[in-house]
Every structure is written in structure tokens, then in C-alpha cells.
């Protein structure tokens, strides 16, 4: 395998709301780059990137798939991410390691709720983006309306590089505003043949106006271009392209292109835009980490000659083998070589390196900075762990994991299923950080917690399909939280004999409420000299651990300010164990005295409903304790934005379908925990 220059690498992700056409766009990219020789369609269950049986059956993307494909002089490492909110961790961990993203929007529906979510995730990691407005051939497509929504909803500065030649049934191609030419695709050749020509006379004035606006918008962000613009010098395509690239990488502008992936129009200019405007690994600031022992900051420049720094961003159990997806930030990774995991303080040996193409793979001996590869043979490493060399250890920032909001109880159907179930669930939990598995001590049941009904439904389906493990499923349960309503204090004296040794500790702890979402804290209000540091740390550990189970129903207690208000120790008798236990008991007592109450997950939902059924849908949402925030009109439907408790939304999709004769749809995502 020939080595690719780092300047020719593009690590990009395709991000969007469910059903905006991400996977169809990806399939076209694979076809036109020669990576696949047949167009796979999502609706036929034949998309290359949706290779899991559940994805093919449901027509949605569940797990982010990685592939590598060439385009002209560029090597593109591409991740197709899910659009459903239940699988948002897949987007989060993909964006954490990507250098650029393509946001796909349906020109009919515009900017939808999950589009906003994934866009904000990309903003969080400062990922440069370009936008592709898909489905331009559909009735109701509104190119300029969607661009206006990008401004208002995403707070983006869209830069129109193209305008459409017609919309809906009349969509024929695009006008390239950089080179001022029209592009039309030949449908008989599946879009592989396209012709460039003059702009139609009836659109010449509109194209000239948008070209002027394009140059002006870029000039506002680029001093070099501004001088030429003010002096009214002619600005050629090469100069304009270089300025757009600088502004895109600097997160000032979002280039906008359009087309229809299903009708094979608009993909080649999109690939050109990826190559021209999105950054390579060397175009963005180097990854930063810290020394695992000293905490001093370390930069990891994207060079093969630098020490190894790589991040595991995803773990997959394919055919019962552990496959780690790794982004190499600096240095080189070799099959059979030794690497160090500073999180576990353990050495690992990657047995094989793989270049990924969805669920197919190609063996390689080594990979350099800027690449994304699959690694087999890492026994203990998991999502978010860093791989480096023992001589130059570095700890990269881990991946943020979302807390689950919904639980179900599962039990095996037969004795043979019993043996397999825990093993299978362990594999799923290793793959998916948002899936939690625990045993309920009171009932003995196995409890699965996840991000939504669909998330858990697919886990159960995969257990049956991939591992032949059948389970009975209990009714979904909401994952509540607990909080305190008033300040309370408790003093506990722990004085017991354990294993022949007397243990003593006295702890006074106060628990006070904090504002929603501020998290829990532990502060010390006694002189530091009054207690040795080890015993102080033991008290902190015991108190914070006891917050994991609140006094009402055993749910985690959140937004609590704990204060160590008093402590008593005796020479020779006070141990770390005694202070851990005493602080834990004092915390539980203080929480139970502090007027504890439950917090439940509140979801933000967007319901799309035809006007004729609006009254019935609003009545139903009110009956579910929903708080209507707004009702907007969008392309023939009313969009109801509502906040509603998750516990009242089970089975809502069925209720909405029956209330709207199957025409209503909705999406929802977690907003916050609040009082019922």
C-alpha cells in the first residue's frame, strides 16, 4: 500500500437529521470514487454502509460506518453517522476524531431538530463544515428557505457556491457561482457523465447577483481578498477558492452546495468541495493532551516522525472479535508493535491493522499520522482510551458520554439463554458507552439502560439475531434522579471492631441544593490541619460515592453541594475505611433530612402534523403534561415544539399515527432533568 501524503488526507463525517439522505449521499460518494461498483439503495436494504441486518430492515443508520475512498489526488476517510437521536453517541465520538463534516439537509423539510443537535456537536469540537442541500428534485423543495433556516437555527453564515437550475420537478442541475457555469447530469449514465455550459440567459442576472454576494461575503472574512474587492480588481476562481478554504477552516463560513443524491446529481462537485475547502490533518491545530503523571500539556503535531498519539473512538464486536477504531494524531502505528495505554497503565500489542470499508477490511502493516484504521488485538483498551509509546506517554481528552434516560428489565427465556445473556450484554456494553447493564439487588433482574425506546429495541433484536439469545422484556422504566430541597446536616460516629481491629471516625456533613444542571460538589469547611490528607480524601470519596444512590428510590442524587462541616479522629483508631463509611452514612442521612424529591427526564419534542389534525394532537400533548413552546407553519404542515416528561411519551408514535391517519411524525431529544 502506497503511503499517502498527510496534505492529501481528508477525515470527514456525513451528519444530518434522520431521513435527510446521509446514507444515500455516502453511497453515491462510494460509487463515483470507484469504491463500489453498484449503487446501493437504503430503501432496498442494499446500502453498503448500512451493513447490519437491523439497519437494512429498518432503513436507518444505527452504527457509524467507516470507509476509505480516493478522489482525484485526495484520500477520503469517511464516516457515515446515524441521524436518530437514540444513537447520538455515534455522532459524538465520530466528530471527536474528524477534521471536517458534510451536513446534509433535506431541501423539503429544511433544518430539523436532530440536524441542530449534530451541528452543535460539530461546533463543540470546532469542526469545519460544508452543507449539501439534498432532495432538490422533490415537490416542495425550497433551496433559499433552507439557507434562511441555516442562518436562524444554526447561527451559521452560509456561503452559496451554487444555486439550483429549477426546483422540484423542474430541477435540472446547478449553477457554479465560482466558475460561473452551469452543470447538468446525464441520468442514463447514473450521473457519471455531466456537462458544463453557459448559464441560461433567463438566470444570468440572478447568477451575477449571487456571485457578487459570494465574493463580498468571502472578502469580509479575508483581508487579502478585501483589497482586491475594494479596488474592483477581477477575482479569478483559484484566488476565490483559496480564500473560501481559509474562511471555512477558520469556522467563519459554511459553503453550501445542492443536488439530489437519489437522482445522482450534485455529488462530484460535493467531492471537489471536500477536497478544496475542508481541512487535512495538517491544516488544523495539533491535538492536545496531558502527561498522565505530571498533567503538563503536550502537543501532538501531525507528523509521522513524532511520538505516537492515537485515540480509540469506537469499539465493535464483529464476529465475536474485538475491533477498535483508532484515529492516529501523530506518529506511526505498526502491526505487531507495542503500544502503551496510559488510562489503564498497561502495554498492549496490536495484532493486525485494517483499512476499513464498512464491514469489509483490508490488512495493512502500518499507518501514519492523520489516518483512521481498525485495530485487532487490543485486549483491555476501550472507547476513549489513548494509545501512545511508553517513552513519550500522553493522555488525550476522552470522549463525552451521555447518561441513559430509559431502562427495561430483561430475563433469559431458557436455561441456555441464561448462560449466553450476560456474555452478550457485556459485548454490547463494550461497544456502546451509553448502554448500561446492572443487576437489581432487590428483584434480581438484569436492567438495561439506554438513550431511548429504539436504542433498547435494537439491542434486544441484535441479541436474538446475532447471538441467538432470546429474552423476555419488561415494561420500559424512566431513569429518574433525586435532589434535595433544603439544607440539612447530619453527624455520624462510626465506632466498630472490624477483623479484630477497632475503627473510629466522626463526620459532620451538610447537604445543600444547587441549581439544575450545576452538578454536585464537595467542599471542606474545617481547617486542613484538623485531619490528615488521606482521611480527608477518604471522607470525600465516601460522600461522593453515596450520591450514586439517593434516599427516596435509590436513583442518583444530583445538584447537591456537600460540605464537610466537622470531623473527629483518634490516634491509632481512625482509618481510611472508617472515614469512608462514616462520610457515606452522614451523606445519606443529610440527604434524607433535606426534603428530597424526584427529578424526571424532560424531553424536547418537535411534532410535524397536517393542519386538519392540529387540535387533536395538541389536546393529546396537553393530556401528557406537555408544555407547548411554539407552533410554526412549514411547507404544508404545522410544527409543534413541546417540552414533555419522558414517562408520558411511551407509545406516542402509535398514538400520533392513529390521531393523524398515519401522516404525523415526531422527533425528540433529552432536554434536562426537572421536577414532575
Amino acid at each position: 500500500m502506497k503511503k499517502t501524503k498527510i496534505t492529501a488526507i481528508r477525515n470527514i463525517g456525513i451528519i444530518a437529521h434522520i431521513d435527510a439522505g446521509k446514507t444515500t449521499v455516502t453511497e453515491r460518494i462510494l460509487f463515483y470514487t470507484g469504491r463500489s461498483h453498484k449503487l446501493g439503495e437504503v430503501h432496498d436494504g442494499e446500502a453498503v454502509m448500512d451493513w447490519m441486518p437491523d439497519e437494512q430492515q429498518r432503513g436507518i443508520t444505527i452504527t457509524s460506518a467507516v470507509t476509505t475512498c480516493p478522489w482525484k489526488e485526495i484520500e477520503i476517510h469517511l464516516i457515515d453517522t446515524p441521524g436518530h437521536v437514540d444513537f447520538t453517541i455515534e455522532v459524538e465520538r465520530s466528530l471527536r476524531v474528524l477534521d471536517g463534516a458534510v451536513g446534509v439537509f433535506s431541501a423539503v423539510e429544511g433544518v430539523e431538530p436532530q440536524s441542530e443537535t449534530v451541528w452543535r456537536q460539530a461546533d463543540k469540537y470546532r469542526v469545519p463544515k460544508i452543507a449539501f442541500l439534498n432532495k432538490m428534485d422533490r415537490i416542495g423543495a425550497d433551496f433559499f428557505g433552507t439557507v434562511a433556516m441555516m442562518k436562524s437555527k444554526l447561527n451559521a453564515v452560509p456561503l452559496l457556491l451554487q444555486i439550483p437550475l429549477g426546483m422540484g420537478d423542474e430541477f435540472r442541475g446547478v449553477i457554479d457561482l465560482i466558475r460561473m457555469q452551469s452543470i447538468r447530469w446525464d441520468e442514463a449514465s447514473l450521473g457519471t457523465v455531466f456537462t458544463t455550459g453557459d448559464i441560461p440567459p433567463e438566470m444570468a442576472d440572478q447568477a451575477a447577483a449571487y456571485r457578487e454576494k459570494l465574493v463580498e461575503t468571502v472578502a469580509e472574512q479575508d483581508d487579502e481578498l478585501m483589497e482586491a474587492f475594494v479596488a474592483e480588481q477581477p477575482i479569478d476562481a483559484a484566488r476565490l477558492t483559496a480564500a473560501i478554504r481559509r474562511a471555512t477552516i477558520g469556522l467563519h463560513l459554511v459553503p453550501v452546495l445542492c443536488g439530489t443524491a437519489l437522482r445522482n446529481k450534485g455529488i462530484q462537485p460535493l467531492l471537489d468541495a471536500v477536497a478544496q475547502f475542508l481541512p487535512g490533518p495538517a491544516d488544523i491545530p495539533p491535538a492536545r493532551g496531558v502527561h498522565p503523571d505530571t498533567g503538563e500539556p503536550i502537543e501532538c503535531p501531525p507528523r509521522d516522525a513524532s511520538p505516537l498519539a492515537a485515540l480509540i473512538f469506537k469499539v465493535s464486536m464483529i464476529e465475536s472479535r474485538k475491533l477498535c477504531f483508532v484515529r492516529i494524531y501523530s506518529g506511526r502505528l505498526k502491526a505487531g508493535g507495542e503500544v502503551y495505554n496510559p488510562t489503564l497503565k498497561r502495554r498492549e500489542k496490536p495484532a493486525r491493522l485494517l483499512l476499513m470499508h464498512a464491514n469489509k477490511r483490508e490488512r495493512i502493516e502500518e499507518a501514519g499520522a492523520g489516518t483512521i484504521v481498525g485495530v485487532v488485538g487490543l485486549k483491555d483498551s476501550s472507547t476513549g482510551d489513548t494509545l501512545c509509546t511508553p517513552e513519550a506517554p500522553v493522555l488525550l481528552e476522552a470522549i463525552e458520554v451521555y447518561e441513559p434516560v430509559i431502562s427495561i428489565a430483561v430475563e433469559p427465556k431458557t436455561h441456555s439463554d441464561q448462560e449466553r445473556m450476560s456474555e452478550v450484554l457485556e459485548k454490547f456494553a463494550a461497544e456502546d458507552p451509553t448502554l448500561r447493564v446492572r443487576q437489581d439487588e432487590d428483584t434480581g433482574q438484569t436492567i438495561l439502560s439506554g438513550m431511548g425506546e429504539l436504542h433498547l429495541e435494537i439491542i434486544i433484536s441484535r441479541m436474538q439475531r446475532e447471538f441467538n439469545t432470546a429474552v423476555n422484556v419488561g415494561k420500559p422504566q424512566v431513569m429518574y434522579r433525586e435532589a434535595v430541597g433544603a439544607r440539612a446536616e447530619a453527624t455520624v460516629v462510626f465506632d466498630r471492631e472490624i477483623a479484630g481491629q477497632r475503627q473510629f471516625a466522626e463526620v459532620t456533613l451538610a447537604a445543600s441544593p444547587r441549581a439544575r444542571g450545576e452538578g454536585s460538589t464537595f467542599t471542606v469547611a474545617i481547617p486542613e490541619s484538623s485531619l490528615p490528607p488521606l482521611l480527608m480524601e477518604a471522607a470525600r470519596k465516601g460522600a461522593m460515592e453515596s450520591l450514586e444512590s439517593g434516599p427516596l428510590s435509590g436513583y442518583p442524587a444530583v445538584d447537591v453541594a456537600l460540605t464537610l462541616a466537622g470531623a473527629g479522629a483518634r490516634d491509632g483508631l481512625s482509618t481510611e475505611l472508617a472515614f469512608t463509611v462514616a462520610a457515606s452514612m452522614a451523606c445519606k442521612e443529610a440527604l434524607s433530612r433535606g426534603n428530597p424529591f424526584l427529578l424526571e427526564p424532560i424531553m424536547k419534542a418537535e411534532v410535524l402534523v397536517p393542519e386538519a389534525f392540529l387540535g387533536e394532537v395538541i389536546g393529546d400533548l396537553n393530556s401528557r403534561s406537555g408544555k407547548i413552546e411554539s407552533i410554526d407553519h412549514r411547507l404544508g404542515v404545522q410544527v409543534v415544539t413541546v417540552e414533555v416528561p419522558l414517562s408520558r411519551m411511551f407509545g406516542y408514535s402509535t398514538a400520533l399515527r392513529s390521531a393523524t391517519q398515519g401522516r404525523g411524525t415526531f422527533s425528540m431529544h433529552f432536554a434536562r432533568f426537572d421536577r414532575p
Side-chain angles (χ1 to χ4, degrees):
M1 178 191 160
K2 75 179 180 63
K3 186 172 177 296
T4 306
K5 280 185 180 175
I6 198 162
T7 52
I9 293 173
R10 297 289 181 273
N11 293 309
I12 66 162
I14 308 287
I15 60 173
H17 185 89
I18 191 167
D19 212 26
K22 290 181 311 303
T23 302
T24 306
V25 169
T26 308
E27 293 299 316
R28 282 3 182 222
I29 288 174
L30 298 182
F31 181 67
Y32 297 129
T33 57
R35 200 65 175 85
S36 62
H37 303 289
K38 174 177 174 286
L39 284 175
E41 301 293 6
V42 175
H43 52 262
D44 295 333
E46 292 182 357
V48 174
M49 300 298 271
D50 285 354
W51 55 270
M52 283 171 60
D54 275 297
E55 294 180 311
Q56 292 167 351
Q57 185 182 327
R58 295 166 191 264
I60 62 170
T61 303
I62 293 166
T63 179
S64 49
V66 181
T67 190
T68 307
C69 50
W71 179 251
K72 297 180 179 175
E73 303 300 314
I74 299 294
E75 179 179 286
I76 299 173
H77 298 260
L78 178 70
I79 300 183
D80 175 30
T81 64
H84 197 286
V85 66
D86 284 14
F87 310 107
T88 194
I89 184 65
E90 290 286 341
V91 186
E92 181 87 22
R93 58 188 178 183
S94 299
L95 286 170
R96 168 69 178 80
V97 298
L98 291 172
D99 303 326
V102 176
V104 178
F105 300 92
S106 163
V108 180
E109 285 84 11
V111 177
E112 298 174 275
Q114 189 62 9
S115 305
E116 290 186 60
T117 304
V118 296
W119 197 268
R120 305 259 179 267
Q121 286 173 306
D123 283 343
K124 181 169 88 177
Y125 291 115
R126 298 189 61 75
V127 176
K129 300 169 282 291
I130 56 180
F132 181 72
L133 274 48
N134 193 24
K135 304 188 181 182
M136 287 302 304
D137 61 318
R138 290 258 302 271
I139 294 169
D142 184 354
F143 176 81
F144 298 106
T146 304
V147 170
M149 288 176 76
M150 286 180 65
K151 286 182 189 171
S152 61
K153 289 198 166 189
L154 304 177
N155 202 23
V157 183
L159 182 72
L160 304 192
L161 304 187
Q162 300 172 346
I163 56 172
L165 273 169
M167 287 192 246
D169 290 343
E170 296 176 3
F171 180 70
R172 306 183 302 283
V174 301
I175 293 174
D176 178 348
L177 297 175
I178 294 179
R179 290 163 193 83
M180 288 304 277
Q181 60 188 16
S182 66
I183 309 174
R184 289 182 169 89
W185 281 264
D186 172 38
E187 293 199 18
S189 69
L190 294 176
T192 52
V193 176
F194 57 93
T195 54
T196 58
D198 293 334
I199 296 169
E202 69 273 14
M203 294 192 70
D205 289 347
Q206 186 186 18
Y210 276 104
R211 159 75 185 204
E212 182 78 8
K213 197 172 178 186
L214 163 68
V215 176
E216 188 180 337
T217 307
V218 180
E220 284 173 7
Q221 304 292 342
D222 194 279
D223 294 342
E224 195 181 312
L225 204 68
M226 180 56 88
E227 287 178 24
F229 180 70
V230 171
E232 296 185 359
Q233 295 172 3
I235 295 169
D236 61 15
R239 197 170 178 186
L240 188 55
T241 299
I244 294 171
R245 177 177 175 78
R246 289 192 292 271
T248 305
I249 293 172
L251 302 173
H252 304 303
L253 300 173
V254 178
V256 178
L257 302 96
C258 64
T260 165
L262 195 60
R263 299 279 170 264
N264 312 311
K265 295 176 183 175
I267 301 301
Q268 293 94 336
L270 176 64
L271 283 164
D272 287 338
V274 166
Q276 290 170 341
F277 306 126
L278 288 181
D283 296 318
I284 55 173
R288 293 174 180 276
V290 295
H291 193 286
D293 300 324
T294 64
E296 72 174 281
I298 297 173
E299 271 197 356
C300 307
R303 293 194 300 264
D304 288 3
S306 301
L308 175 68
L311 184 75
I312 301 172
F313 67 95
K314 178 177 162 70
V315 173
S316 184
M317 295 288 181
I318 298 176
E319 296 159 9
S320 297
R321 301 189 69 178
K322 184 175 178 181
L323 172 66
C324 296
F325 291 82
V326 174
R327 161 71 196 260
I328 304 170
Y329 286 100
S330 69
R332 290 189 76 73
L333 187 62
K334 297 181 182 178
E338 195 172 65
V339 295
Y340 179 64
N341 182 331
T343 312
L344 303 174
K345 300 195 182 304
R346 196 169 296 168
R347 294 176 189 238
E348 293 259 36
K349 188 169 274 194
R352 282 187 292 163
L353 299 189
L354 306 165
L355 211 54
M356 302 303 298
H357 179 49
N359 62 332
K360 299 180 179 65
R361 48 202 92 100
E362 171 193 332
R363 281 187 74 163
I364 53 175
E365 288 309 309
E366 59 176 7
T371 53
I372 293 174
V373 292
V375 180
V376 176
L378 301 176
K379 291 181 183 172
D380 303 308
S381 300
S382 59
T383 301
D385 285 358
T386 304
L387 301 178
C388 58
T389 59
E391 300 78 38
V394 61
L395 194 59
L396 298 169
E397 184 188 350
I399 293 166
E400 188 177 324
V401 175
Y402 296 90
E403 288 299 312
V405 295
I406 185 171
S407 296
I408 53 172
V410 292
E411 57 183 36
K413 281 192 174 174
T414 66
H415 184 66
S416 61
D417 292 326
Q418 167 77 56
E419 295 168 4
R420 279 197 302 269
M421 187 178 83
S422 55
E423 188 183 319
V424 170
L425 289 177
E426 199 176 306
K427 286 179 178 172
F428 284 148
E431 270 190 12
D432 185 350
T434 58
L435 181 73
R436 306 287 166 83
V437 183
R438 66 178 176 87
Q439 293 292 125
D440 189 305
E441 293 176 10
D442 298 330
T443 62
Q445 290 177 307
T446 300
I447 307 294
L448 276 189
S449 304
M451 298 303 293
E453 285 183 279
L454 181 64
H455 184 197
L456 297 178
E457 194 182 307
I458 285 186
I459 293 292
I460 301 301
S461 168
R462 286 184 64 196
M463 287 177 77
Q464 175 71 61
R465 196 193 297 266
E466 294 175 31
F467 297 94
N468 200 24
T469 305
V471 293
N472 293 319
V473 179
K475 191 175 170 233
Q477 296 290 317
V478 174
M479 294 286 286
Y480 291 91
R481 297 288 185 269
E482 297 185 20
V484 291
R487 187 183 188 281
E489 201 172 277
T491 301
V492 166
V493 176
F494 181 83
D495 190 358
R496 275 185 214 165
E497 195 172 291
I498 300 174
Q501 183 187 347
R502 194 167 158 218
Q503 313 256 7
F504 176 86
E506 181 181 341
V507 171
T508 301
L509 209 63
S512 313
R514 300 191 80 206
R516 268 325 123 254
E518 282 191 354
S520 297
T521 58
F522 181 88
T523 53
V524 177
I526 57 173
E528 287 190 15
S529 57
S530 60
L531 211 58
L534 280 176
L535 299 185
M536 197 88 81
E537 174 58 25
R540 187 200 66 78
K541 183 183 168 203
M544 294 304 282
E545 282 180 358
S546 71
L547 291 178
E548 290 170 14
S549 176
L552 289 177
S553 307
Y555 293 110
V558 295
D559 301 331
V560 180
L562 295 176
T563 307
L564 183 63
R570 290 182 187 168
D571 288 344
L573 299 180
S574 292
T575 62
E576 290 176 59
L577 172 65
F579 268 87
T580 300
V581 175
S584 176
M585 291 166 66
C587 180
K588 284 195 185 317
E589 200 171 315
L591 290 175
S592 60
R593 290 178 184 175
N595 300 340
F597 57 87
L598 284 179
L599 298 170
E600 67 176 334
I602 305 295
M603 312 300 283
K604 191 160 199 163
E606 193 168 89
V607 187
L608 276 68
V609 52
E611 192 150 4
F613 307 104
L614 183 62
E616 196 173 338
V617 167
I618 287 177
D620 181 49
L621 287 170
N622 286 332
S623 72
R624 295 171 187 268
S625 305
K627 290 179 184 168
I628 310 286
E629 290 191 336
S630 65
I631 301 172
D632 303 309
H633 183 75
R634 188 195 301 167
L635 298 169
V637 294
Q638 298 293 333
V639 182
V640 182
T641 306
V642 60
E643 285 197 342
V644 61
L646 174 64
S647 59
R648 307 297 298 273
M649 291 297 277
F650 292 135
Y652 182 65
S653 54
T654 308
L656 181 64
R657 276 197 291 268
S658 62
T660 60
Q661 297 176 5
R663 293 164 63 196
T665 60
F666 84 105
S667 62
M668 68 177 183
H669 61 271
F670 173 74
R672 64 183 186 283
F673 282 99
D674 217 331
R675 294 186 89 146

